[in-house]
Amino acid sequence: MHELGITENIVNIALDKAKEVQASKITKINLVIGELSGFVPDCIQFYFDFLSKDSIAEGASLHFELAPAQFRCRSCSTVFCPQNTIWTCPKCQSQSVEIAGGRELYIESIEAK
Amino acid sequence: MRKIEVIQNILEANESIATQNQCLLDKHKVFAINIMSSPGAGKTSLILQTIAKLKNKLRIAVVEGDVASTLDAERVKNEAVAVVQITTRYMSENCTLIANMISHALQSLPLKDIDLLLIENVGNLICPSEFILGEHKRVVISSLPEGDDKPTKYPMIFADADAVIINKLDLLPYLDFDIPAFRHAAEGLNAKVKFFELSCKTGMGIENWCSWLLNEIKANSQKLI
Ligand SMILES: Nc1nc2c(ncn2[C@@H]2O[C@H](COP(=O)(O)OP(=O)(O)OP(=O)(O)O)[C@@H](O)[C@H]2O)c(=O)[nH]1
Ligand SMILES: [Mg+2]
Ligand SMILES: [Zn+2]
């Protein structure tokens, strides 16, 4: 598991931001997680509840937006969501692709009082 | 209630430590490679073969990442200039090395007496793909018994690799591993990847791998001047 360290980062980033805008309570944290990344939302929530105790982020809910896996064809630049485990460009059938989405892992926003 | 935009990468902390690691390595002219694979694909075997081939030319140190045991560190102890063991079982990340662990390891290594640092990551094809360590090159090993579908199942680790090693080539007659299909899938994700087909058991192909490594080390040291 590597979610503990990641969740520590989430708590730190959120608390820094809240301090910067002089908020007194964080109620929600909106996260974007790529489908291809190996992070498990339930696991992050579990650690978050533990790590945010006694801070202004205690009790905040985490909202995860899952960013879909997307590939870009190197031949014709078409961006597509892979349908199965074969990544063939739907337009030109090329199998030379780069990952264009699905690796995201960032805090989009916080909601605070 | 108000919504405050943040847009901050959660892995930024790891990435900035990795950058510091690379600065420190470059300062001492140490070339580092991060060796990743599933358990048992041959990371330690490759390290031993590489040291055997290059120890007259380079001073080589090893970082061994392992969940629990010190077995791999024992295997390389007498061959390398220095070995640091990182036992991840006691850490918040136990499925991969992260930049902070390497930062600590670098403090206990005699960097001025090292030319090449071989980092054996934890056996895993998912988690190590999220964390850069400060290495100069990322190397992924796939071995024939694992099957030829790994690039399709674990795209991220192959997409970022500088080199992909196909190991245990001596077993080819007994297995139906489709090497062209494997290479086609990995190349599809990663246009710049270099392939090496070898056997750590017979030593076949080790020469090629080592000469690539020597070239990369030379290219990097020229960049630093
Ligand atoms: N036949 C054959 N066996 C090999 C080859 N390379 C490694 N092995 C064997 O595969 C097993 C695992 O090799 P290791 O080098 O320990 O693999 P590893 O990736 O370091 O394993 P972990 O550290 O446990 O993840 C050992 O029994 C090796 O002897 C090879 O080229 N051919
Ligand atoms: Mg090993
Ligand atoms: Zn196309």
Side-chain angles (χ1 to χ4, degrees):
Chain A
M1 284 299 181
H2 52 254
E3 274 80 2
L4 179 55
I6 288 307
T7 313
E8 266 164 17
N9 292 350
I10 293 171
V11 173
N12 290 338
I13 294 169
L15 290 177
D16 282 352
K17 192 71 190 183
K19 199 167 166 191
E20 187 189 313
V21 301
Q22 296 176 345
S24 59
K25 178 95 190 131
I26 299 172
T27 53
K28 191 172 174 191
I29 301 176
N30 294 304
L31 300 145
V32 178
I33 294 199
E35 195 189 320
L36 294 171
S37 85
F39 296 96
V40 185
D42 280 352
C43 202
I44 294 177
Q45 180 77 60
F46 174 81
Y47 286 127
F48 181 83
D49 294 341
F50 170 73
L51 291 168
S52 62
K53 275 217 176 71
D54 302 323
S55 77
I56 62 164
E58 181 170 354
S61 64
L62 300 185
H63 177 263
F64 296 93
E65 184 189 322
L66 215 56
Q70 286 190 320
F71 292 95
R72 184 183 301 107
C73 172
R74 286 207 187 89
S75 310
C76 73
S77 299
T78 300
V79 173
F80 62 98
C81 291
Q83 292 310 319
N84 46 33
T85 51
I86 317 281
W87 312 309
T88 307
C89 170
K91 200 163 156 201
C92 77
Q93 315 308 316
S94 164
Q95 291 181 350
S96 182
V97 296
E98 61 195 10
I99 297 176
R103 305 193 67 159
E104 296 80 353
L105 183 67
Y106 65 92
I107 300 190
E108 193 259 328
S109 61
I110 61 173
E111 292 173 32
K113 287 196 269 220
Chain B
M1 182 82 59
R2 55 198 170 126
K3 191 165 176 166
I4 304 132
E5 187 174 89
V6 182
I7 314 284
Q8 188 171 341
N9 176 4
I10 296 164
L11 290 171
E12 211 169 80
N14 184 70
E15 278 152 27
S16 73
I17 298 170
T19 306
Q20 290 166 20
N21 290 347
Q22 193 166 93
C23 286
L24 183 62
L25 291 163
D26 284 341
K27 190 176 138 202
H28 293 277
K29 299 197 167 52
V30 180
F31 190 82
I33 68 169
N34 178 1
I35 305 173
M36 296 165 283
S37 79
S38 47
K43 298 178 292 300
T44 311
S45 303
L46 181 77
I47 287 171
L48 289 168
Q49 284 282 3
T50 305
I51 297 176
K53 195 87 197 164
L54 295 178
K55 73 173 165 197
N56 296 330
K57 296 197 175 90
L58 301 171
R59 296 164 300 172
I60 304 174
V62 177
V63 171
E64 282 294 342
D66 231 315
V67 178
S69 78
T70 58
L71 288 176
D72 285 350
E74 296 293 327
R75 282 165 71 195
V76 300
K77 200 170 67 186
N78 296 326
E79 313 302 322
V81 172
V83 180
V84 176
Q85 163 85 35
I86 299 173
T87 308
T88 59
R89 178 173 57 174
Y90 306 110
M91 313 207 178
S92 62
E93 281 78 14
N94 55 22
C95 47
T96 175
L97 295 179
I98 63 171
N100 201 27
M101 298 173 189
I102 296 302
S103 166
H104 286 292
L106 293 182
Q107 284 167 29
S108 57
L109 281 168
L111 294 178
K112 65 176 182 18
D113 303 320
I114 297 170
D115 305 308
L116 173 61
L117 180 64
L118 303 174
I119 303 170
E120 176 169 346
N121 215 315
V122 180
N124 185 328
L125 288 175
I126 301 173
C127 313
S129 70
E130 309 276 359
F131 298 91
I132 55 170
L133 308 176
E135 70 279 41
H136 295 90
K137 295 288 166 193
R138 293 171 74 78
V139 176
V140 176
I141 307 176
S142 272
S143 65
L144 298 195
E146 295 165 62
D148 52 30
D149 56 1
K150 293 298 163 290
T152 317
K153 285 186 176 155
Y154 304 97
M156 294 227 297
I157 203 154
F158 288 93
D160 291 340
D162 296 293
V164 168
I165 289 175
I166 303 172
N167 187 31
K168 309 198 184 180
L169 216 62
D170 55 292
L171 300 177
L172 193 56
Y174 314 103
L175 300 165
D176 47 11
F177 188 103
D178 185 342
I179 293 180
F182 175 93
R183 291 179 61 140
H184 181 72
E187 235 160 17
L189 286 163
N190 183 338
K192 68 169 181 16
V193 71
K194 282 285 296 175
F195 289 102
F196 298 94
E197 297 175 14
L198 52 82
S199 164
C200 290
K201 184 171 180 183
T202 66
M204 175 187 33
I206 294 290
E207 187 90 50
N208 254 344
W209 150 251
C210 287
S211 58
W212 176 79
L213 202 52
L214 285 172
N215 276 332
E216 293 299 326
I217 294 170
K218 205 161 131 202
N220 190 58
S221 69
Q222 278 161 357
K223 211 168 60 198
L224 293 176
I225 297 167

